[in-house]
Amino acid sequence: MENILKLEKSKKVSITKIKIKEHHKAFLILIPFITLIIMFLLSPFLSTFISSFLNEYNEFSLENYEYIFKSRFIKQSIFNSLELSIVSTLLGLLISLQGAYSLNKLKNSSKKSVLLLINMLSNFSGIPLAFAFIILLGSNGVMTILLKNIGLIETFDVYSRAGLMLMYTYFQLPLGLLLLYPLFDRIDPQWQEMVNILGGGTFTFWKRVGIPVMLKEILGTMLIMFANAMGAYACTLALTNGAYNVMTIRITSYIAGEVSYEPGIASAMSIVLGGILLFVVVINEILLKKKRGKYER
């Protein structure tokens, strides 16, 4: 018996040693990844966070944050960014949901072609996208002249809020389609048949079954699209030449030295921008927990 117990103990010791070695190997493999995270995520964030509390004399204070929340111009940039992001996210989500549903109904050959096109369009952003909008919808753009001749529009200013909203919604679509398309594979056609047998229609099916099943992924997609819009810079600058007041352009103006060099204010605005995104993440998690609790009951 003693020999058997000793053998079992030695086996357990050897197994634990093997596990420890495996953990060490896994940690060694992760060292380059952890180094990159520290260099390109944590270090810039800490530097920005500390800089946001430094005034022009390099003294710790809340002057930068006080300036942000007292300045009407900066508050306008926050409001404009939120408006563009929220509206373009909601519009982009609705169009992407319909597009993903329709895409899921195509044949495999057609589906692959459309997905390839969407992948290409997802990389078409920034300055090239703004240039394309100017060519198509500018004052003498191809589409603008065509729509005027048909009589559908009288005037359209692509360099205004309406033009930006259109462009933001456009570049949300490929992202939304790629993220939402796989969700419809989770919907079993038999579920809709069961709902129809019980007397429910298509609307009842999506309200009671389809949307709740995909809700977590839909909210996650909304969050990604919102962050995508809040961080947009190149296309906004190229289309409006910095005339439209949004957070990303204001942050750049304070660190590029075009008007004044105020890195503390730029850092504080960056932290506020990050805080807005964090707030959206928290709200997203709260909504998900409430929905989970509702369906568990």
Side-chain angles (χ1 to χ4, degrees), residues 142-162:
V142 177
M143 291 299 296
T144 306
I145 294 170
L146 180 63
L147 293 172
K148 280 181 180 178
N149 291 335
I150 295 171
L152 292 177
I153 61 170
E154 292 182 4
T155 57
F156 179 74
D157 186 9
V158 75
Y159 311 105
S160 65
R161 172 178 163 273

Side-chain angles (χ1 to χ4, degrees), residues 22-283:
E22 287 177 352
H23 285 304
H24 285 166
K25 287 179 182 177
F27 181 75
L28 289 172
I29 292 168
L30 283 173
I31 284 175
F33 179 66
I34 294 167
T35 305
L36 288 172
I37 289 174
I38 292 169
M39 287 174 63
F40 296 105
L41 287 178
L42 293 179
S43 297
F45 172 76
L46 289 173
S47 175
T48 303
F49 184 76
I50 293 167
S51 179
S52 69
F53 291 100
L54 297 176
N55 60 17
E56 55 183 340
Y57 304 107
N58 283 332
E59 298 172 345
F60 277 92
S61 69
L62 295 172
E63 289 180 14
N64 296 322
Y65 290 97
E66 288 176 3
Y67 178 81
I68 286 172
F69 293 109
K70 285 180 180 178
S71 171
R72 288 184 180 180
F73 193 56
I74 293 178
K75 284 192 286 187
Q76 184 193 47
S77 72
I78 295 171
F79 174 79
N80 288 342
S81 292
L82 286 171
E83 183 188 33
L84 284 169
S85 301
I86 291 169
V87 175
S88 66
T89 297
L90 293 176
L91 288 174
L93 185 71
L94 289 172
I95 298 168
S96 297
L97 276 170
Q98 178 58 51
Y101 174 78
S102 301
L103 182 60
N104 200 263
K105 296 293 182 181
L106 293 176
K107 294 179 181 178
N108 286 331
S109 57
S110 302
K111 198 182 294 184
K112 288 177 182 178
S113 302
V114 175
L115 283 172
L116 180 63
L117 179 63
I118 293 169
N119 272 307
M120 290 171 62
L121 289 173
S122 66
N123 295 311
F124 186 67
S125 59
I127 295 174
L129 177 61
F131 184 63
F133 264 75
I134 292 168
I135 292 172
L136 289 172
L137 296 167
S139 302
N140 295 310
V142 177
M143 291 299 296
T144 306
I145 294 170
L146 180 63
L147 293 172
K148 280 181 180 178
N149 291 335
I150 295 171
L152 292 177
I153 61 170
E154 292 182 4
T155 57
F156 179 74
D157 186 9
V158 75
Y159 311 105
S160 65
R161 172 178 163 273
L164 272 175
M165 194 71 74
L166 186 64
M167 186 173 67
Y168 270 57
T169 304
Y170 174 83
F171 73 65
Q172 297 278 39
L173 296 181
L175 178 65
L177 282 166
L178 289 173
L179 291 172
L180 293 172
Y181 159 69
L183 300 186
F184 288 91
D185 289 334
R186 295 173 56 183
I187 304 297
D188 193 333
Q190 293 181 355
W191 296 349
Q192 189 158 8
E193 291 175 9
M194 292 169 67
V195 171
N196 293 334
I197 290 167
L198 294 170
T202 304
F203 179 77
T204 306
F205 167 74
W206 287 109
K207 182 183 176 183
R208 300 290 184 185
V209 181
I211 297 298
V213 167
M214 302 187 299
L215 184 64
K216 182 179 177 182
E217 288 79 7
I218 290 172
L219 289 175
T221 302
M222 279 183 66
L223 177 62
I224 294 169
M225 292 169 76
F226 178 80
N228 185 42
M230 284 293 290
Y233 168 71
C235 58
T236 311
L237 181 66
L239 187 68
T240 64
N241 200 22
Y244 197 78
N245 191 19
V246 293
M247 288 189 76
T248 49
I249 290 176
R250 287 287 68 76
I251 291 168
T252 308
S253 69
Y254 282 113
I255 57 172
E258 295 171 1
V259 179
S260 60
Y261 181 66
E262 298 285 352
I265 294 173
S267 298
M269 284 190 72
S270 300
I271 297 299
V272 171
L273 178 59
I276 291 169
L277 296 177
L278 182 62
F279 175 75
V280 173
V281 171
V282 171
I283 295 297

